[in-house]
Amino acid sequence: MRCGLLGFFLGLGVFVPALPAPAQKAPVKPPPALPVREVTVFKDGHAFVLKQGKVRIGADASVFLPELPNPVLGTFWPYSAERNFPLRSVVAGFRTVQRERSAVVQSEFLEANIGQKVRLRTGGDRDWIEGTIRSVVSGQGTPGEQGDPSFRGGFRAPFGGVLVLLETADGLRPLSAAEITGLVLPATAKTTVTGEEMLPALSLRFDPAAANQEAEVGMMYLQKGLRWIPNYKIVGDGNGKAKIDLQAILINDLTDLSDVALNLVVGVPTFAFKDTPDPIGLQDTFARLSRYFSPDSPTASNFSNAIVSQSRMGEQRGLRPERSNPGEPGAPVPEFSGAEQNEDLFLFSLKHISLKTGERMTLPVNSFSVPYQDIYRLELTPTVPTPQPYGSPQEREIVRLVQRPNVFHLWRLRNTSAFPLTTAPALLMNGGRIVAQNMVTFTASGATTDLMLTNATDLTAKHEDTEVSRTPNAATFDGVRYTRIDLKGEITLTSFRKSPSTFEVVRYVIGEVSAASAEATMTPLDPANDTPEIADFRGRNPALSQYNKITRIAWKVVVPPGRTLTLTYQWNYLFR
């Protein structure tokens, strides 16, 4: 019977090895990666990482580190903190090691228990088969060279499947793993298998005298993959004081952080080679970062920070360290440790930050109070004057309603804190109720910023322009005669509020202003510094804009509660 089985086995083109089965290679445990000590995070997704730790230098005067950053060109700086053991070179590459991992499929449990007695059943058998596992191989074809990766224990598995060689009381029995429908392992069975894995690695090389010594080594580099998004909550008290809370959203697609010092940068740094990877990173193979690091992400365009997508080395199965739960007891509590200015950049420093790769975190950064003022703003952009009424009365009424001015309510904050406000979303609240959401723009210490709330519902404005006279042939340009048209305008402000209201009114007119009430300021606009709206008006009316300037009339007035105030102005323009 045994000879018959062996003959059948050999007929399949499979070479049977001599018993006992070959021993597995002992797993090699790679050394741990250097811990992150400090990281400086920019809003555009760059992070300056500092890693440092104790290592054991090998007999060949080198240290193998299972990590490979993808730094920006010119920012990777490894070092040795030991004066007696200076670092001579760093080599980046890949290293194959034997790693032990958990068995997850049936064939891996069989492979892990070579030499063990098991009970199994196949689809063609009613009864259980008892025997000792002698070999588990995978591959296809016929016996090959021992250098062939599918050649294990002296034979190959046929037909591209997994072949199990079981020693039973009747002899050796080859079984296809796909046919095994039941498996019972002994209580002493192993649940791990050893296999080869390719690790990205750095090799730190020292002088021969450093062999078998301990040394403190580190590296610093700039890399994309860790970003912070600031956001504010601004609560007004109705009496001119606003409490501002700054919190940070951390997006970590870079590296595990465990109890590190974290610096959040306000400002726009210059990274001349931010789009050029350093060759040390071996960046032939990338894995995508999340959409928060994409150049076309909404946050990238809204904050005017270029978010350039980048990739980091993908993780092999079993390479990641065990993760703790986000709420693990005893974890260090994040702590705000101060703020400081470094040249034109401003840093908020926090301690005890822990965040795994792929996780996100929201944490408070700072809190302070500033004075603010309620401002009601009315802005009237230039329009093409119409010398004669046009359309039916109904059509004119529709135009009047569409062009009816709106009064906007805004808060004007004065930044009296010692640090700037950075560009960020802001949740605006009055007491405990939400009022609006807007965006804070960069505001230096001592400067002011305006935050729009909404349309004012208890303040109204009316606006009317009237032609006063015409003067034919008032000017000639390039042989063309122009008529001068004189006009007067009125802006009527009405308050239904129970307290005085501060109005800022701006009226843009095309032409020359001759008079304005209530100590108005009149400023001719330079086309080079036009707002987008004014530039758009000039573009749509080139003939009218050629010989007429655009003038800005501005008022700042206080309207008492329940009262009406009228602002007047006079101007003229040239019309062909």
Side-chain angles (χ1 to χ4, degrees):
M1 180 66 180
R2 179 165 181 167
C3 293
L5 284 173
L6 291 175
F8 171 75
F9 197 19
L10 292 172
L12 292 176
V14 178
F15 174 73
V16 181
L19 300 180
Q24 289 185 312
K25 296 180 181 178
V28 177
K29 183 179 180 181
L34 292 179
V36 178
R37 298 300 186 192
E38 183 176 353
V39 59
T40 300
V41 186
F42 299 89
K43 291 198 296 178
D44 67 351
H46 287 87
F48 190 68
V49 181
L50 172 64
K51 292 185 172 185
Q52 184 171 314
K54 282 277 188 184
V55 296
R56 183 74 179 180
I57 303 174
D60 59 352
S62 69
V63 174
F64 160 53
L65 296 177
E67 56 185 300
L68 196 60
N70 292 327
V72 171
L73 180 65
T75 66
F76 178 74
W77 288 90
Y79 62 89
S80 170
E82 307 290 346
R83 180 177 299 179
N84 296 331
F85 308 132
L87 185 63
R88 293 307 181 191
S89 66
V90 175
V91 176
F94 295 89
R95 178 173 293 192
T96 301
V97 297
Q98 294 288 325
R99 289 291 301 270
E100 192 172 72
R101 55 181 172 80
S102 297
V104 293
V105 296
Q106 185 169 264
S107 60
E108 292 177 341
F109 281 102
L110 291 166
E111 182 180 355
N113 289 279
I114 295 175
Q116 292 271 17
K117 285 187 176 182
V118 299
R119 294 175 62 226
L120 55 83
R121 183 169 58 186
T122 67
D125 292 321
R126 290 185 177 182
D127 299 326
W128 288 84
I129 306 169
E130 186 172 305
T132 302
I133 304 172
R134 289 307 180 189
S135 292
V136 179
V137 295
S138 61
Q140 60 183 0
T142 56
E145 302 291 335
Q146 290 223 11
D148 193 308
S150 67
F151 186 91
R152 282 195 206 164
F155 66 93
R156 294 181 187 226
F159 316 125
V162 176
L163 182 67
V164 180
L165 189 60
L166 188 70
E167 184 182 9
T168 69
D170 297 326
L172 292 175
R173 181 168 179 176
L175 298 170
S176 170
E179 297 178 1
I180 299 174
T181 58
L183 175 63
V184 178
L185 298 170
T188 57
K190 297 180 181 178
T191 58
T192 59
V193 291
T194 301
E196 291 183 346
E197 290 183 353
M198 184 77 74
L199 294 179
L202 289 173
S203 179
L204 281 58
R205 299 181 178 179
F206 300 82
D207 286 335
N212 300 317
Q213 302 294 323
E214 279 196 347
E216 185 86 12
V217 300
M219 64 181 79
M220 59 182 74
Y221 55 88
L222 181 73
Q223 184 174 335
K224 304 183 192 78
L226 181 58
R227 181 184 178 197
W228 83 286
I229 299 176
N231 52 99
Y232 290 102
K233 182 179 68 174
I234 303 176
V235 181
D237 65 358
N239 295 310
K241 279 289 185 181
K243 182 175 181 292
I244 300 180
D245 294 312
L246 170 63
Q247 72 176 7
I249 301 173
L250 291 179
I251 303 170
N252 184 13
D253 287 349
L254 180 61
T255 187
D256 288 348
L257 306 179
S258 178
D259 195 17
V260 305
L262 186 76
N263 302 311
L264 306 177
V265 178
V266 174
V268 183
T270 299
F271 299 135
F273 296 94
K274 65 180 182 180
D275 297 324
T276 306
D278 196 298
I280 200 72
L282 301 178
Q283 294 191 14
D284 294 332
T285 306
F286 281 153
R288 286 192 181 276
L289 294 179
S290 67
R291 62 186 179 89
Y292 296 98
F293 298 89
S294 170
D296 57 356
S297 68
T299 47
S301 58
N302 287 345
F303 299 132
S304 301
N305 283 327
I307 310 300
V308 183
S309 63
Q310 79 104 43
S311 301
R312 64 180 178 83
M313 189 62 59
E315 295 176 340
Q316 308 278 342
R317 188 171 84 177
L319 294 187
R320 293 178 65 90
E322 292 293 326
R323 294 183 177 275
S324 59
N325 293 325
E328 180 181 357
V333 178
E335 173 189 334
F336 177 68
S337 61
E340 62 177 296
Q341 187 170 358
N342 183 12
E343 297 294 340
D344 294 320
L345 302 178
F346 197 91
L347 285 77
F348 291 103
S349 298
L350 300 101
K351 295 179 179 179
H352 308 307
I353 303 300
S354 298
L355 190 65
K356 298 293 186 181
T357 308
E359 292 182 340
R360 277 73 174 122
M361 173 187 284
T362 299
L363 70 163
V365 175
N366 204 4
S367 183
F368 53 94
S369 294
V370 300
Y372 78 97
Q373 184 181 8
D374 287 286
I375 300 292
Y376 298 91
R377 186 175 182 85
L378 172 65
E379 187 166 312
L380 302 171
T381 56
T383 55
V384 177
T386 305
Q388 298 295 336
Y390 63 92
S392 65
Q394 293 83 0
E395 291 172 335
R396 293 199 297 272
E397 179 64 15
I398 291 173
V399 171
R400 186 187 69 81
L401 291 174
V402 170
Q403 295 180 346
R404 182 174 58 184
N406 290 320
V407 179
F408 291 97
H409 182 194
L410 59 88
W411 284 350
R412 176 162 297 158
L413 279 67
R414 177 171 295 279
N415 183 13
T416 55
S417 69
F419 26 81
L421 302 177
T422 186
T423 302
L427 183 66
L428 307 178
M429 303 183 71
N430 189 2
R433 299 183 181 275
I434 184 172
V435 178
Q437 187 194 34
N438 213 309
M439 178 177 286
V440 173
T441 56
F442 182 86
T443 308
S445 178
T448 61
T449 185
D450 290 348
L451 294 174
M452 194 73 69
L453 272 68
T454 183
N455 289 353
T457 57
D458 49 6
L459 299 169
T460 62
K462 295 182 180 179
H463 165 237
E464 185 176 5
D465 291 332
T466 306
E467 182 179 332
V468 175
S469 64
R470 294 189 176 202
T471 306
N473 304 323
T476 302
F477 299 101
D478 299 328
V480 179
R481 296 177 179 180
Y482 288 80
T483 296
R484 170 176 161 165
I485 300 178
D486 289 88
L487 303 98
K488 66 177 181 179
E490 287 187 352
I491 301 172
T492 304
L493 309 173
T494 303
S495 171
F496 299 96
R497 302 182 73 242
K498 297 181 181 180
S499 58
S501 305
T502 301
F503 272 87
E504 288 187 351
V505 181
V506 176
R507 170 69 168 120
Y508 295 94
V509 298
I510 183 165
E512 191 82 33
V513 178
S514 56
S517 66
E519 299 183 354
T521 59
M522 294 161 284
T523 308
L525 300 186
D526 181 358
N529 297 320
D530 279 346
T531 65
E533 294 80 8
I534 303 300
D536 179 66
F537 175 83
R538 291 187 195 270
R540 288 185 286 106
N541 302 276
L544 199 60
S545 302
Q546 184 175 6
Y547 300 111
N548 289 288
K549 67 180 70 173
I550 293 180
T551 304
R552 180 181 185 269
I553 314 172
W555 295 268
K556 187 170 184 178
V557 295
V558 177
V559 180
R563 301 289 296 274
T564 296
L565 179 67
T566 300
L567 306 174
T568 62
Y569 53 97
Q570 298 176 16
W571 87 103
N572 61 79
Y573 71 98
L574 298 176
F575 184 78
R576 191 171 81 175

